[in-house]
Amino acid sequence: MEQVGVAPMLFTTEEYAARLGAARVRMTEQGLSALIVTDPANIYYLTGYNAWSYYTPQLVFVPLEGEMILFTREMDANGAFRTTWLPPESIVGYPERYVHRPHLHPFDWVAYALRARYLIAPAAKGCVGLEMDAHFFSPKGYRSLVNALPEWTLVDCFELVNWVRAIKSPTEIHLMHQAAVFTNLAMHAAQDAIEVGARQCDVAAAISQAQILGTAQAGGDYPAIVPMLPTGESADTPHLTWNDKRLQPNEAMIVELAGAYHRYHVPMARTFMTGKPTPQLTHLAGATDHALAAVLETVAPGIPVQELSQVFNRTLFEYGYEKASRIGYSIGVGYPPDWGERTISLRSEDTTILQENMTFHLMCGMWMEGYGYEVSEAIRVTDTGVETFTAFPRGLVPAGKAGAAATESITLLGNPGERAVPGGPGLDAVPQPVTEPRRPATERFGFTNPDEDTMTGSLRIIPRNAERADRDPAGLPAAPVIPPNTNPTQEETP
């Protein structure tokens, strides 16, 4: 394997060879004689190809033996030559007449091209794996392959290359450290921009500028996901972006973003306040921060992933909250619409064992009714514990440039080897957890059946994706008196 393109290789030929070798080991284990790769993140991982061309069909043919072949749109073939290590004969452009035709599909032509190269029969000796859950592999593309290649037995490869990506090389970790610098810069830009009267779109613009501008030494990529900014009452709902509404006094804005460098992503979520938080939000933030800290204290090689979820839920339970959705996922290379690797999920059902240089977005979002709180850390499993990639205060962070003054001493280089414990950054003045009862599941999302249960340690946890704090479950002690969600400024208005 040698470089023949015009762009310098981001990784060594040995590393690319190791990636392909690891993929082929898994192919053998799964009985695959060939693999069709359509996920742009996996194409990039194996070949280095990087262009905004994935809105049209493209694939990499990976035989169990022999050379890989990249098939892309004809006008994009030169882009492949400029970004990959592949030799010219392994970069093939299909004709433009196949683009966006109702009765033709580019994979019709690709199938014929593979047949012309006498690659169909060797691959028919076993099954041929497809990325059946990849974002850019369409039913029409699948049908084209089935109809054009009747000799092949097409099967799901179950994210084969994604799993190869789970453990990062030292070079990949270095790229993620650089992405983390952009993450910190973007979150500082968000903090500066969040102030009463500012529009949500103004905050998004400040974030995007920081993400791409980067530093004098290195510039950032476009992220796989745009900034997400649930604000005010809509903070009870994840994955909202922004609008042109102006921020109000005593309002919370959740900011979830990522820095990206050479397609490697480091996400972070924080919750900012334009004034004074309500007692409910203060209590929720303290509970979530302590649960996150408990998880960071648990991370180490050899620990089952499910234990992280159990620790989080046990800690959260002590404060009277529950959470059924996962608390994180594997991260690394990302293309729209997602920066997750779609493999390891930090939840009670996942039995994956943590290994050194696995990287995750530890995402602790709690979405109540009418309010919510998010805090997250991008982490690396070290040889002895955990490293957080970013460095930004946790808790309900003061918004605006005045609030940013408290974070001026925070380095842009992350917290290598951090072992987070209660009382760490952002955990000041956390209310005691024993004064509030457990929250019952809300019905407004309709995700779960309250009668179903999941065993989390020794606790019986009711699965749910959202919680309510305005009513008590039967048989539990009455909640302490807590003022309703009101805006102190409004209370003073006659």
Side-chain angles (χ1 to χ4, degrees):
M1 180 182 295
E2 61 180 355
Q3 180 186 8
V4 295
V6 299
M9 293 179 69
L10 187 60
F11 301 95
T12 64
T13 55
E14 291 77 14
E15 182 158 342
Y16 277 119
R19 295 175 179 185
L20 179 57
R24 283 174 165 163
V25 168
R26 286 183 173 268
M27 289 169 62
T28 301
E29 293 172 348
Q30 294 181 211
L32 303 179
S33 54
L35 178 66
I36 301 294
V37 178
T38 53
D39 186 326
N42 292 336
I43 293 175
Y44 173 80
Y45 183 78
L46 292 175
T47 72
Y49 178 51
N50 182 22
W52 193 287
S53 61
Y54 42 86
Y55 66 94
T56 56
Q58 57 187 27
L59 64 80
V60 172
F61 174 71
V62 185
L64 194 58
E65 297 179 353
E67 300 299 321
M68 296 186 293
I69 302 177
L70 170 63
F71 292 93
T72 188
R73 187 178 179 181
E74 190 172 52
M75 70 167 57
D76 293 314
N78 195 52
F81 179 72
R82 291 188 176 278
T83 58
T84 78
W85 58 263
L86 297 174
E89 61 270 20
S90 294
I91 301 171
V92 182
Y94 57 78
E96 286 295 310
R97 66 179 181 273
Y98 281 83
V99 176
H100 296 163
R101 297 288 295 275
H103 303 299
L104 294 174
H105 191 276
F107 289 174
D108 298 331
W109 190 93
V110 169
Y112 177 80
L114 288 171
R115 192 176 295 280
R117 286 166 171 76
Y118 303 101
L119 296 172
I120 302 303
K125 296 177 181 178
C127 297
V128 176
L130 301 177
E131 296 181 322
M132 299 290 281
D133 200 33
H135 295 298
F136 298 99
F137 183 55
S138 71
K140 190 172 183 179
Y142 172 75
R143 186 183 66 181
S144 294
L145 294 176
V146 169
N147 292 340
L149 302 169
E151 302 97 321
W152 282 2
T153 300
L154 300 171
V155 299
D156 190 357
C157 72
F158 300 104
E159 288 70 54
L160 186 151
V161 179
N162 303 59
W163 281 99
V164 174
R165 290 162 44 195
I167 298 177
K168 308 301 183 291
S169 70
T171 303
E172 290 180 290
I173 297 299
H174 172 74
L175 294 174
M176 294 184 74
H177 278 133
Q178 180 61 61
V181 173
F182 304 152
T183 307
N184 280 301
L185 288 171
M187 194 61 79
H188 279 286
Q191 183 179 29
D192 287 347
I194 298 172
E195 57 184 5
V196 175
R199 300 176 300 171
Q200 294 182 29
C201 56
D202 297 333
V203 179
I207 292 170
S208 296
Q209 181 185 32
Q211 287 172 315
I212 298 171
L213 189 62
T215 66
Q217 293 72 35
D221 286 350
Y222 64 90
I225 303 176
V226 299
M228 291 182 281
L229 307 173
T231 303
E233 290 188 355
S234 70
D236 66 358
T237 305
H239 304 143
L240 298 180
T241 55
W242 64 82
N243 52 44
D244 59 0
K245 292 183 179 178
R246 297 188 181 275
L247 300 178
Q248 303 301 312
N250 304 308
E251 193 168 48
M253 172 177 267
I254 291 172
V255 177
E256 184 177 356
L257 53 80
Y261 186 62
H262 288 294
R263 304 315 315 153
Y264 283 83
H265 284 65
V266 172
M268 187 196 334
R270 291 294 188 269
T271 303
F272 295 93
M273 287 299 308
T274 61
K276 183 179 180 181
T278 64
Q280 290 94 337
L281 181 55
T282 300
H283 188 270
L284 179 68
T288 310
D289 286 343
H290 277 173
L292 168 61
V295 173
L296 288 172
E297 187 65 21
T298 305
V299 175
I303 298 295
V305 164
Q306 61 189 174
E307 186 169 331
L308 305 184
S309 177
Q310 292 167 357
V311 166
F312 182 87
N313 280 308
R314 282 199 296 267
T315 305
L316 204 62
F317 190 86
E318 296 174 357
Y319 285 80
Y321 299 102
E322 297 166 327
K323 179 181 175 66
S325 58
R326 63 183 183 173
I327 63 167
Y329 45 84
S330 183
I331 55 171
V333 176
Y335 280 81
D338 188 19
W339 55 49
E341 292 183 325
R342 305 200 317 277
T343 51
I344 307 168
S345 287
L346 306 183
R347 55 187 169 203
S348 58
E349 299 88 357
D350 197 322
T351 58
T352 304
I353 303 299
L354 294 179
Q355 298 182 56
E356 183 180 359
N357 282 348
M358 284 183 171
T359 53
F360 300 95
H361 184 207
L362 182 53
M363 176 61 187
C364 303
M366 295 292 290
W367 303 285
M368 312 297 281
E369 186 167 354
Y371 67 104
Y373 177 76
E374 287 186 24
V375 62
S376 77
E377 293 290 357
I379 63 172
R380 175 178 75 93
V381 181
T382 68
D383 57 342
T384 58
V386 64
E387 170 194 0
T388 56
F389 279 106
T390 56
F392 201 91
R394 303 180 194 128
L396 294 168
V397 184
K401 294 182 179 180
T407 66
E408 288 181 356
S409 63
I410 299 297
T411 174
L412 294 178
L413 300 179
N415 294 329
E418 178 190 26
R419 303 295 293 181
V421 295
L427 297 183
D428 296 335
V430 175
Q432 293 300 310
V434 296
T435 58
E436 292 206 359
R438 186 175 65 174
R439 272 47 167 184
T442 181
E443 300 174 357
R444 65 191 180 96
F445 287 143
F447 285 160
T448 55
N449 182 345
D451 294 329
E452 297 174 354
D453 62 61
T454 300
M455 294 306 296
T456 303
S458 60
L459 300 176
R460 180 178 181 275
I461 303 299
I462 299 175
R464 66 239 237 135
N465 286 51
E467 300 82 5
R468 301 182 67 144
D470 58 354
R471 58 191 174 100
D472 300 328
L476 290 178
V481 177
I482 296 178
N485 278 331
T486 56
N487 187 325
T489 302
Q490 293 176 345
E491 289 179 352
E492 297 169 2
T493 302

mmCIF file of all heavy atoms in Angstrom, residues 303-333:
data_model
loop_
_atom_site.group_PDB
_atom_site.id
_atom_site.type_symbol
_atom_site.label_atom_id
_atom_site.label_comp_id
_atom_site.label_asym_id
_atom_site.label_seq_id
_atom_site.Cartn_x
_atom_site.Cartn_y
_atom_site.Cartn_z
ATOM 1 N N ILE A 303 -13.939 -2.204 32.467
ATOM 2 C CA ILE A 303 -15.265 -1.973 33.047
ATOM 3 C C ILE A 303 -16.319 -2.184 31.962
ATOM 4 O O ILE A 303 -16.189 -1.664 30.861
ATOM 5 C CB ILE A 303 -15.372 -0.549 33.617
ATOM 6 C CG1 ILE A 303 -14.358 -0.339 34.735
ATOM 7 C CG2 ILE A 303 -16.786 -0.258 34.116
ATOM 8 C CD1 ILE A 303 -14.592 -1.203 35.951
ATOM 9 N N PRO A 304 -17.383 -2.945 32.230
ATOM 10 C CA PRO A 304 -18.456 -3.074 31.248
ATOM 11 C C PRO A 304 -19.181 -1.746 31.060
ATOM 12 O O PRO A 304 -19.390 -0.996 32.016
ATOM 13 C CB PRO A 304 -19.395 -4.124 31.867
ATOM 14 C CG PRO A 304 -18.593 -4.808 32.922
ATOM 15 C CD PRO A 304 -17.612 -3.790 33.408
ATOM 16 N N VAL A 305 -19.548 -1.450 29.833
ATOM 17 C CA VAL A 305 -20.255 -0.214 29.529
ATOM 18 C C VAL A 305 -21.521 -0.083 30.369
ATOM 19 O O VAL A 305 -21.859 1.005 30.838
ATOM 20 C CB VAL A 305 -20.587 -0.157 28.019
ATOM 21 C CG1 VAL A 305 -21.638 0.888 27.730
ATOM 22 C CG2 VAL A 305 -19.330 0.131 27.221
ATOM 23 N N GLN A 306 -22.209 -1.193 30.572
ATOM 24 C CA GLN A 306 -23.469 -1.143 31.303
ATOM 25 C C GLN A 306 -23.278 -0.633 32.726
ATOM 26 O O GLN A 306 -24.193 -0.052 33.315
ATOM 27 C CB GLN A 306 -24.132 -2.520 31.316
ATOM 28 C CG GLN A 306 -23.317 -3.593 31.975
ATOM 29 C CD GLN A 306 -23.900 -4.985 31.787
ATOM 30 O OE1 GLN A 306 -23.298 -5.978 32.178
ATOM 31 N NE2 GLN A 306 -25.064 -5.101 31.199
ATOM 32 N N GLU A 307 -22.089 -0.831 33.294
ATOM 33 C CA GLU A 307 -21.846 -0.356 34.660
ATOM 34 C C GLU A 307 -21.890 1.164 34.728
ATOM 35 O O GLU A 307 -22.326 1.736 35.735
ATOM 36 C CB GLU A 307 -20.511 -0.881 35.175
ATOM 37 C CG GLU A 307 -20.271 -0.548 36.647
ATOM 38 C CD GLU A 307 -19.077 -1.286 37.223
ATOM 39 O OE1 GLU A 307 -18.775 -2.396 36.750
ATOM 40 O OE2 GLU A 307 -18.451 -0.745 38.162
ATOM 41 N N LEU A 308 -21.452 1.845 33.667
ATOM 42 C CA LEU A 308 -21.518 3.304 33.652
ATOM 43 C C LEU A 308 -22.965 3.776 33.722
ATOM 44 O O LEU A 308 -23.295 4.717 34.447
ATOM 45 C CB LEU A 308 -20.843 3.850 32.400
ATOM 46 C CG LEU A 308 -19.400 3.416 32.149
ATOM 47 C CD1 LEU A 308 -18.848 4.138 30.923
ATOM 48 C CD2 LEU A 308 -18.529 3.668 33.362
ATOM 49 N N SER A 309 -23.820 3.126 32.966
ATOM 50 C CA SER A 309 -25.237 3.473 33.005
ATOM 51 C C SER A 309 -25.838 3.195 34.376
ATOM 52 O O SER A 309 -26.635 3.980 34.891
ATOM 53 C CB SER A 309 -25.990 2.682 31.921
ATOM 54 O OG SER A 309 -27.377 2.932 31.971
ATOM 55 N N GLN A 310 -25.447 2.076 34.963
ATOM 56 C CA GLN A 310 -25.968 1.734 36.286
ATOM 57 C C GLN A 310 -25.532 2.742 37.338
ATOM 58 O O GLN A 310 -26.330 3.159 38.185
ATOM 59 C CB GLN A 310 -25.513 0.321 36.653
ATOM 60 C CG GLN A 310 -26.143 -0.765 35.785
ATOM 61 C CD GLN A 310 -25.461 -2.107 35.943
ATOM 62 O OE1 GLN A 310 -24.462 -2.236 36.659
ATOM 63 N NE2 GLN A 310 -25.975 -3.115 35.253
ATOM 64 N N VAL A 311 -24.283 3.156 37.289
ATOM 65 C CA VAL A 311 -23.785 4.155 38.246
ATOM 66 C C VAL A 311 -24.536 5.463 38.077
ATOM 67 O O VAL A 311 -24.929 6.107 39.066
ATOM 68 C CB VAL A 311 -22.271 4.355 38.065
ATOM 69 C CG1 VAL A 311 -21.795 5.604 38.788
ATOM 70 C CG2 VAL A 311 -21.511 3.137 38.559
ATOM 71 N N PHE A 312 -24.736 5.875 36.836
ATOM 72 C CA PHE A 312 -25.464 7.114 36.590
ATOM 73 C C PHE A 312 -26.873 7.031 37.163
ATOM 74 O O PHE A 312 -27.336 7.945 37.862
ATOM 75 C CB PHE A 312 -25.521 7.393 35.086
ATOM 76 C CG PHE A 312 -26.207 8.683 34.730
ATOM 77 C CD1 PHE A 312 -25.494 9.875 34.701
ATOM 78 C CD2 PHE A 312 -27.562 8.727 34.438
ATOM 79 C CE1 PHE A 312 -26.118 11.081 34.391
ATOM 80 C CE2 PHE A 312 -28.194 9.921 34.124
ATOM 81 C CZ PHE A 312 -27.479 11.092 34.094
ATOM 82 N N ASN A 313 -27.567 5.946 36.880
ATOM 83 C CA ASN A 313 -28.954 5.829 37.327
ATOM 84 C C ASN A 313 -29.066 5.693 38.841
ATOM 85 O O ASN A 313 -30.008 6.222 39.448
ATOM 86 C CB ASN A 313 -29.622 4.641 36.634
ATOM 87 C CG ASN A 313 -30.075 4.982 35.226
ATOM 88 O OD1 ASN A 313 -30.775 5.962 35.009
ATOM 89 N ND2 ASN A 313 -29.672 4.192 34.255
ATOM 90 N N ARG A 314 -28.122 4.986 39.460
ATOM 91 C CA ARG A 314 -28.175 4.883 40.922
ATOM 92 C C ARG A 314 -27.992 6.247 41.567
ATOM 93 O O ARG A 314 -28.686 6.606 42.520
ATOM 94 C CB ARG A 314 -27.105 3.908 41.420
ATOM 95 C CG ARG A 314 -27.453 2.448 41.264
ATOM 96 C CD ARG A 314 -26.598 1.567 42.168
ATOM 97 N NE ARG A 314 -25.187 1.633 41.798
ATOM 98 C CZ ARG A 314 -24.587 0.783 40.962
ATOM 99 N NH1 ARG A 314 -25.297 -0.174 40.381
ATOM 100 N NH2 ARG A 314 -23.303 0.890 40.706
ATOM 101 N N THR A 315 -27.035 7.023 41.061
ATOM 102 C CA THR A 315 -26.799 8.361 41.616
ATOM 103 C C THR A 315 -28.006 9.258 41.371
ATOM 104 O O THR A 315 -28.456 9.976 42.272
ATOM 105 C CB THR A 315 -25.545 8.980 40.987
ATOM 106 O OG1 THR A 315 -24.441 8.098 41.159
ATOM 107 C CG2 THR A 315 -25.230 10.322 41.627
ATOM 108 N N LEU A 316 -28.536 9.223 40.174
ATOM 109 C CA LEU A 316 -29.689 10.045 39.837
ATOM 110 C C LEU A 316 -30.898 9.675 40.681
ATOM 111 O O LEU A 316 -31.690 10.531 41.107
ATOM 112 C CB LEU A 316 -30.006 9.875 38.350
ATOM 113 C CG LEU A 316 -30.760 10.993 37.642
ATOM 114 C CD1 LEU A 316 -29.954 12.285 37.659
ATOM 115 C CD2 LEU A 316 -31.066 10.577 36.203
ATOM 116 N N PHE A 317 -31.047 8.388 40.946
ATOM 117 C CA PHE A 317 -32.184 7.895 41.717
ATOM 118 C C PHE A 317 -32.202 8.486 43.122
ATOM 119 O O PHE A 317 -33.274 8.765 43.686
ATOM 120 C CB PHE A 317 -32.108 6.370 41.778
ATOM 121 C CG PHE A 317 -33.339 5.707 42.349
ATOM 122 C CD1 PHE A 317 -34.413 5.409 41.537
ATOM 123 C CD2 PHE A 317 -33.405 5.374 43.692
ATOM 124 C CE1 PHE A 317 -35.533 4.793 42.062
ATOM 125 C CE2 PHE A 317 -34.518 4.773 44.219
ATOM 126 C CZ PHE A 317 -35.598 4.469 43.393
ATOM 127 N N GLU A 318 -31.022 8.704 43.688
ATOM 128 C CA GLU A 318 -30.941 9.264 45.034
ATOM 129 C C GLU A 318 -31.507 10.679 45.088
ATOM 130 O O GLU A 318 -31.911 11.156 46.151
ATOM 131 C CB GLU A 318 -29.491 9.262 45.516
ATOM 132 C CG GLU A 318 -28.903 7.871 45.675
ATOM 133 C CD GLU A 318 -27.423 7.910 46.001
ATOM 134 O OE1 GLU A 318 -26.872 9.037 46.037
ATOM 135 O OE2 GLU A 318 -26.825 6.841 46.210
ATOM 136 N N TYR A 319 -31.520 11.354 43.974
ATOM 137 C CA TYR A 319 -32.054 12.708 43.904
ATOM 138 C C TYR A 319 -33.522 12.738 43.509
ATOM 139 O O TYR A 319 -34.122 13.801 43.426
ATOM 140 C CB TYR A 319 -31.265 13.529 42.886
ATOM 141 C CG TYR A 319 -29.905 13.956 43.359
ATOM 142 C CD1 TYR A 319 -28.834 13.067 43.328
ATOM 143 C CD2 TYR A 319 -29.685 15.235 43.845
ATOM 144 C CE1 TYR A 319 -27.573 13.454 43.753
ATOM 145 C CE2 TYR A 319 -28.427 15.629 44.270
ATOM 146 C CZ TYR A 319 -27.387 14.731 44.222
ATOM 147 O OH TYR A 319 -26.140 15.122 44.656
ATOM 148 N N GLY A 320 -34.096 11.582 43.231
ATOM 149 C CA GLY A 320 -35.494 11.526 42.862
ATOM 150 C C GLY A 320 -35.755 11.573 41.380
ATOM 151 O O GLY A 320 -36.874 11.895 40.966
ATOM 152 N N TYR A 321 -34.747 11.243 40.551
ATOM 153 C CA TYR A 321 -34.936 11.269 39.106
ATOM 154 C C TYR A 321 -34.626 9.898 38.507
ATOM 155 O O TYR A 321 -33.932 9.080 39.117
ATOM 156 C CB TYR A 321 -34.016 12.303 38.449
ATOM 157 C CG TYR A 321 -34.240 13.723 38.902
ATOM 158 C CD1 TYR A 321 -33.378 14.313 39.828
ATOM 159 C CD2 TYR A 321 -35.288 14.483 38.402
ATOM 160 C CE1 TYR A 321 -33.558 15.620 40.240
ATOM 161 C CE2 TYR A 321 -35.476 15.792 38.816
ATOM 162 C CZ TYR A 321 -34.610 16.351 39.730
ATOM 163 O OH TYR A 321 -34.797 17.650 40.147
ATOM 164 N N GLU A 322 -35.109 9.703 37.288
ATOM 165 C CA GLU A 322 -34.830 8.485 36.529
ATOM 166 C C GLU A 322 -34.589 8.854 35.077
ATOM 167 O O GLU A 322 -35.048 9.898 34.600
ATOM 168 C CB GLU A 322 -36.005 7.509 36.623
ATOM 169 C CG GLU A 322 -36.270 7.016 38.025
ATOM 170 C CD GLU A 322 -37.617 6.330 38.133
ATOM 171 O OE1 GLU A 322 -38.544 6.749 37.412
ATOM 172 O OE2 GLU A 322 -37.750 5.384 38.909
ATOM 173 N N LYS A 323 -33.872 7.983 34.383
ATOM 174 C CA LYS A 323 -33.587 8.217 32.962
ATOM 175 C C LYS A 323 -33.463 6.872 32.272
ATOM 176 O O LYS A 323 -32.677 6.025 32.686
ATOM 177 C CB LYS A 323 -32.297 9.021 32.804
ATOM 178 C CG LYS A 323 -31.890 9.317 31.362
ATOM 179 C CD LYS A 323 -30.587 10.103 31.355
ATOM 180 C CE LYS A 323 -30.055 10.332 29.946
ATOM 181 N NZ LYS A 323 -30.940 11.210 29.146
ATOM 182 N N ALA A 324 -34.217 6.686 31.189
ATOM 183 C CA ALA A 324 -34.161 5.421 30.464
ATOM 184 C C ALA A 324 -33.273 5.504 29.239
ATOM 185 O O ALA A 324 -32.699 4.512 28.829
ATOM 186 C CB ALA A 324 -35.559 4.988 30.030
ATOM 187 N N SER A 325 -33.178 6.697 28.621
ATOM 188 C CA SER A 325 -32.372 6.804 27.410
ATOM 189 C C SER A 325 -30.896 6.660 27.746
ATOM 190 O O SER A 325 -30.468 6.858 28.883
ATOM 191 C CB SER A 325 -32.637 8.143 26.711
ATOM 192 O OG SER A 325 -32.359 9.226 27.576
ATOM 193 N N ARG A 326 -30.105 6.302 26.758
ATOM 194 C CA ARG A 326 -28.681 6.090 26.967
ATOM 195 C C ARG A 326 -27.999 7.377 27.444
ATOM 196 O O ARG A 326 -28.510 8.480 27.219
ATOM 197 C CB ARG A 326 -28.029 5.603 25.668
ATOM 198 C CG ARG A 326 -28.089 6.614 24.515
ATOM 199 C CD ARG A 326 -27.506 6.050 23.238
ATOM 200 N NE ARG A 326 -27.507 7.050 22.169
ATOM 201 C CZ ARG A 326 -26.932 6.875 20.983
ATOM 202 N NH1 ARG A 326 -26.331 5.736 20.711
ATOM 203 N NH2 ARG A 326 -26.972 7.836 20.072
ATOM 204 N N ILE A 327 -26.838 7.228 28.056
ATOM 205 C CA ILE A 327 -26.118 8.390 28.572
ATOM 206 C C ILE A 327 -24.870 8.686 27.745
ATOM 207 O O ILE A 327 -24.048 9.516 28.154
ATOM 208 C CB ILE A 327 -25.735 8.208 30.044
ATOM 209 C CG1 ILE A 327 -24.783 7.023 30.226
ATOM 210 C CG2 ILE A 327 -26.976 8.045 30.909
ATOM 211 C CD1 ILE A 327 -24.125 6.979 31.592
ATOM 212 N N GLY A 328 -24.739 8.055 26.599
ATOM 213 C CA GLY A 328 -23.591 8.365 25.760
ATOM 214 C C GLY A 328 -23.402 7.355 24.650
ATOM 215 O O GLY A 328 -24.129 6.366 24.547
ATOM 216 N N TYR A 329 -22.368 7.607 23.831
ATOM 217 C CA TYR A 329 -22.136 6.780 22.655
ATOM 218 C C TYR A 329 -20.722 7.029 22.149
ATOM 219 O O TYR A 329 -20.083 8.035 22.460
ATOM 220 C CB TYR A 329 -23.154 7.112 21.560
ATOM 221 C CG TYR A 329 -23.354 8.603 21.365
ATOM 222 C CD1 TYR A 329 -22.497 9.353 20.562
ATOM 223 C CD2 TYR A 329 -24.389 9.269 22.024
ATOM 224 C CE1 TYR A 329 -22.674 10.720 20.405
ATOM 225 C CE2 TYR A 329 -24.573 10.637 21.872
ATOM 226 C CZ TYR A 329 -23.709 11.356 21.065
ATOM 227 O OH TYR A 329 -23.876 12.709 20.917
ATOM 228 N N SER A 330 -20.238 6.109 21.333
ATOM 229 C CA SER A 330 -18.896 6.198 20.784
ATOM 230 C C SER A 330 -18.812 7.303 19.738
ATOM 231 O O SER A 330 -19.745 7.517 18.961
ATOM 232 C CB SER A 330 -18.528 4.853 20.151
ATOM 233 O OG SER A 330 -17.212 4.852 19.661
ATOM 234 N N ILE A 331 -17.674 8.005 19.724
ATOM 235 C CA ILE A 331 -17.479 9.116 18.787
ATOM 236 C C ILE A 331 -16.122 8.996 18.109
ATOM 237 O O ILE A 331 -15.238 8.260 18.555
ATOM 238 C CB ILE A 331 -17.572 10.491 19.479
ATOM 239 C CG1 ILE A 331 -16.579 10.574 20.656
ATOM 240 C CG2 ILE A 331 -18.992 10.778 19.932
ATOM 241 C CD1 ILE A 331 -16.454 11.957 21.262
ATOM 242 N N GLY A 332 -15.963 9.754 17.024
ATOM 243 C CA GLY A 332 -14.717 9.793 16.279
ATOM 244 C C GLY A 332 -14.944 10.532 14.982
ATOM 245 O O GLY A 332 -15.286 11.711 14.980
ATOM 246 N N VAL A 333 -14.787 9.828 13.844
ATOM 247 C CA VAL A 333 -15.050 10.419 12.542
ATOM 248 C C VAL A 333 -16.548 10.663 12.406
ATOM 249 O O VAL A 333 -17.368 9.833 12.807
ATOM 250 C CB VAL A 333 -14.569 9.489 11.414
ATOM 251 C CG1 VAL A 333 -14.929 10.065 10.047
ATOM 252 C CG2 VAL A 333 -13.063 9.271 11.510
#
